[in-house]
Amino acid sequence: MTDCTLLVFGSDPAPRLDRLSGRARIVYADDVSLPGLLPSADALLVWDFTSDAVRDAWPGAGPRPRWVHTASAGVDRLLSPELTSSDVVLTNARGVFDQPIAEYVAGLVIAMAKDFPETWELQRQRRWQHRETMRLGGSRAVVVGSGPIGRAIARTLAALGVEVELVGRTPRETDSEFGRVHGSADLESLLPSADWVISAAPLTNENLGMFDARLFGRMPRTARFINVGRGPLVVEGDLADALDRRTIAGAALDVFEHEPLAADSRLWNLPGLLVSPHMSGDTIGWRDDLAEQFMDNFDRWAAGEPLLNVVDKQLGYVPVS
């Protein structure tokens, strides 16, 4: 497959694709050039996964890439009706971000339980103020999203002594690791006893805006909410109201409905809210890991072997076996 054309959307910084030298003609595209280059590409690497340009530029009938890989876990920014209904194979970066995100969530949980933000603020004020903090062991977490990221989060929290309930799209009464996985219909009944509610679900039409005033109202006043899934899973105004009214104790958001978060957003100054700029999975060397994963899959594609991380385009994620 030395004469194939690999189109890479996004080059800031460019992926390190050294292993593909002499095996593919690599062409880089930006928002402007993408529509004209898509029909001549055999494969597309979506390196800039923060853009909607691929979804907007995806061609209808006629030539188009046979394989699309996105360097992200989420695929909602790609799935145009034309791509979804086509025979184009879509793969994602499942596996690269699982443990880094789990570690980030664990860090947030520890920071909130031990009141680190207030400790840092008191240090800044040079004030010695003794306080009691929360014990993690025996606290209860509800992790929404039973894919690899949700499972890594649940596993890491369990190692800290947190009792974890895992919620997926459909219930599974037997699970080799967690005993059972609750279905989405069970979520409301699990929330009143939760100390931590963690959103790690993919974005689909069914769960758009799922964390709203109704669900925040089901959480106890002592609960903390964390979203590392997708921004539109949360009705941000409803979360803001819950924090303003102190009906939940705190929250941390790493993803937002619109990114970057506007400087005049209400979210910046809410009591008990920690804002981070979509960085929970981005550890040192993460781009090299993404490039290596893509090149491994390219080897399989060139050899005519089944690809890894094939997304079910109707579901919007890679099904968990």
Side-chain angles (χ1 to χ4, degrees):
M1 197 171 284
T2 56
D3 59 346
C4 78
T5 298
L6 169 63
L7 181 62
V8 180
F9 173 65
S11 58
D12 186 21
R16 296 174 59 181
L17 302 175
D18 304 348
R19 280 168 42 200
L20 303 189
S21 178
R23 302 175 61 197
R25 186 172 72 96
I26 301 176
V27 179
Y28 288 89
D30 57 18
D31 290 26
V32 175
S33 61
L34 181 66
L37 292 171
L38 272 172
S40 61
D42 297 294
L44 170 66
L45 168 58
V46 183
W47 192 245
D48 179 5
F49 52 81
T50 66
S51 172
D52 295 325
V54 173
R55 181 176 61 197
D56 296 339
W58 189 259
R64 56 197 171 190
R66 291 174 283 129
W67 170 37
V68 175
H69 177 86
T70 179
S72 63
V75 298
D76 51 279
R77 303 196 80 151
L78 298 177
L79 287 178
S80 65
E82 293 81 9
L83 176 56
T84 302
S85 63
S86 74
D87 59 357
V88 173
V89 178
L90 174 62
T91 58
N92 72 355
R94 172 181 169 178
V96 172
F97 300 107
D98 303 357
Q99 191 56 35
I101 292 178
E103 293 169 3
Y104 197 89
V105 170
L108 290 172
V109 168
I110 292 172
M112 289 191 281
K114 302 306 178 183
D115 202 19
F116 287 168
E118 181 65 11
T119 296
W120 291 325
E121 176 58 24
L122 291 170
Q123 178 181 341
R124 189 186 66 80
Q125 298 175 18
R126 298 172 181 261
R127 291 174 56 195
W128 183 276
Q129 182 176 317
H130 181 270
R131 302 172 332 278
E132 295 178 346
T133 62
M134 178 182 178
R135 182 173 179 173
L136 278 182
S139 66
R140 299 190 69 238
V142 175
V143 178
V144 182
S146 61
I149 292 175
R151 286 175 170 270
I153 292 170
R155 193 179 305 120
T156 304
L157 293 181
L160 295 172
V162 179
E163 298 174 7
V164 181
E165 301 285 359
L166 192 60
V167 179
R169 181 171 178 263
T170 55
R172 291 193 292 277
E173 293 303 322
T174 57
D175 184 89
S176 60
E177 189 171 14
F178 298 102
R180 67 174 295 192
V181 176
H182 296 272
S184 55
D186 297 335
L187 178 57
E188 277 199 58
S189 66
L190 294 170
L191 293 179
S193 59
D195 298 295
W196 314 99
V197 180
I198 295 115
S199 166
L203 181 62
T204 66
N205 291 331
E206 291 75 20
N207 61 20
L208 180 68
M210 67 181 298
F211 289 100
D212 57 9
R214 178 175 55 87
L215 289 191
F216 291 125
R218 294 286 293 168
M219 300 176 194
R221 289 183 175 273
T222 54
R224 272 93 166 183
F225 173 75
I226 297 172
N227 186 19
V228 290
R230 303 295 286 171
L233 294 171
V234 178
V235 180
E236 292 175 348
D238 290 355
L239 174 60
D241 290 342
L243 290 168
D244 265 339
R245 296 168 184 166
R246 306 297 202 276
T247 57
I248 62 173
L253 299 179
D254 185 56
V255 287
F256 300 86
E257 184 175 2
H258 301 290
E259 297 181 5
L261 187 63
D264 61 354
S265 171
R266 176 187 179 190
L267 297 175
W268 289 107
N269 297 315
L270 285 171
L273 177 61
L274 179 62
V275 169
S276 59
H278 204 148
M279 58 182 283
S280 61
D282 302 347
T283 53
I284 296 169
W286 67 288
R287 290 185 178 89
D288 290 341
D289 292 341
L290 290 171
E292 284 295 325
Q293 181 190 56
F294 170 74
M295 288 189 288
D296 287 345
N297 235 1
F298 185 94
D299 291 342
R300 301 175 73 91
W301 184 64
E305 299 173 357
L307 296 178
L308 301 177
N309 294 354
V310 175
V311 173
D312 183 320
K313 292 180 289 184
Q314 298 300 324
L315 294 176
Y317 52 86
V318 179
V320 177
S321 59

